[in-house]
Amino acid sequence: MRLIKVSDEEELSRLAAEYVFSKIKSSEKIVLGLATGRTPLGMYRHLSKYSKEYKQSYSHVHTVNLDEYVGSRAYHDYMQQNFFDHIGIHKNQTHLPDGIAVDLEKECKRYEEVIIQLGGIDLQVLGIGQNGHIGFNEPGTDFSSRTHVVELTESTLSANAKYFTHEKQPRRAITMGIGTILESNEILLLASGEKKARALRELFQGTMNSDIPATVLNHHPNVTVLADEGARSLLEEES
Ligand code: PGA
C-alpha cells in the first residue's frame, strides 16, 4: 500500500483528479469505480474542469458506482449533479445499483453481471467511513462478499444524515461487496480530516480484521492512499 501525504482537502482533491484524469487520457478503454460522499466532491469538481479544458472525450469510459440507498436515487442524483452532467458521458456508460428495484436480490446479481460484462474495474476510487467501512460494507462484513443489501450502522446513518433534508434517510443500501471491490485492478483511497484518523491508523497499523473492513486492503497488490494531515494525525510516524 502506498501512502501519498497531502496537506489538506484541496490538495487531496487536485491530486486525486490528476491521477484519475491521467488514467482516462492514457487508456483506450477504462472502467472507473466511483464513490460518493463528501470526500470525492473536490475530485469531481477538478475532473469536470480538466475535462472541459482539454475537451476530453468519455466515449471509452464506463463508470460503476459503489452503492446506492434502498428506495432512493440519492447517489444517482449526486453523480449526475457533481460529475456526469459536466463531462458529457453517455448515460448508458454510467452504472449504479438500482435502489428502487422491486427485487433487490435480483438487482444485486444484475450489478455483479454488469461489472463482469464490462471486463472488471480498472481503477476503483474509495472513501473510508469513520468506522472503517468501504463502500457500505459495514464492520463485520465478510471479506468475500459480493454486491448485497446492507443494514446501515448508526455511525454511518448519523455521518450521512445531513444529506437527507428532502427525503427520509433510508436505513438500507445496496453495496458492492468487499470481494467485488478487491477484484479491481487498482484502488485509490481518499481520506480527509481528523474524523478519519482512527480508521486510517487501523488501516496502516492495525491487524487485518473484519471489524475495520478497510484493513482488507492490505491484501490487495495495488492500493494508493491519499491522506491529508487530519486523516494522518494518529499515524505513529506522524506524531
Ligand atoms: P465521506 O464518506 O466522504 O462523506 O466522509 C466516506 C465513506 O463513508 O466512505
Side-chain angles (χ1 to χ4, degrees), residues 36-37 67-69 73-79 96 136 160:
T36 48
D67 41 26
E68 176 60 285
Y69 285 95
R73 294 189 55 87
Y75 284 170
H76 282 74
D77 295 344
Y78 169 113
M79 290 308 300
L96 289 95
F136 271 142
N160 291 345

Side-chain angles (χ1 to χ4, degrees), residues 21-73:
F21 196 61
S22 74
K23 299 273 175 188
I24 293 171
K25 273 203 303 199
S26 60
S27 336
E28 285 178 9
K29 171 191 166 292
I30 186 165
V31 179
L32 289 178
L34 296 177
T36 48
R38 181 174 186 277
T39 315
L41 278 174
M43 177 188 79
Y44 292 132
R45 200 176 57 245
H46 284 286
L47 270 176
S48 302
K49 189 164 68 88
Y50 300 157
S51 301
K52 281 191 186 112
E53 276 170 18
Y54 291 88
K55 297 191 176 24
Q56 178 61 47
S57 162
Y58 277 75
S59 58
H60 64 305
V61 180
H62 275 83
T63 66
V64 282
N65 265 76
L66 285 167
D67 41 26
E68 176 60 285
Y69 285 95
V70 167
S72 171
R73 294 189 55 87

Side-chain angles (χ1 to χ4, degrees), residues 35-41 66-67 75 78 126-131 133-136 156 159-160 162-163 190 192 196:
T36 48
R38 181 174 186 277
T39 315
L41 278 174
L66 285 167
D67 41 26
Y75 284 170
Y78 169 113
L126 290 180
I128 184 168
Q130 291 174 40
N131 62 3
H133 73 203
I134 48 174
F136 271 142
T156 298
N160 291 345
K162 53 186 176 292
Y163 303 118
L190 312 179
S192 170
K196 305 297 171 69

Side-chain angles (χ1 to χ4, degrees), residues 63-109:
T63 66
V64 282
N65 265 76
L66 285 167
D67 41 26
E68 176 60 285
Y69 285 95
V70 167
S72 171
R73 294 189 55 87
Y75 284 170
H76 282 74
D77 295 344
Y78 169 113
M79 290 308 300
Q80 213 57 49
Q81 286 161 16
N82 294 303
F83 193 39
F84 299 153
D85 279 348
H86 307 281
I87 57 169
I89 190 168
H90 201 288
K91 208 168 176 59
N92 62 17
Q93 288 171 220
T94 66
H95 309 271
L96 289 95
D98 180 5
I100 53 180
V102 178
D103 185 337
L104 294 173
E105 291 309 318
K106 205 164 142 198
E107 173 57 14
C108 293
K109 292 204 177 73

Side-chain angles (χ1 to χ4, degrees), residues 204-215:
F204 282 101
Q205 288 160 355
T207 50
M208 195 158 65
N209 73 95
S210 65
D211 288 344
I212 310 281
T215 57

Side-chain angles (χ1 to χ4, degrees), residues 2-4 6 12 15-16 188-192 224-228:
R2 277 178 303 277
L3 171 62
I4 299 180
V6 296
L12 177 132
L15 281 191
L188 176 66
L189 184 140
L190 312 179
S192 170
T224 302
V225 178
L226 266 173
D228 70 8

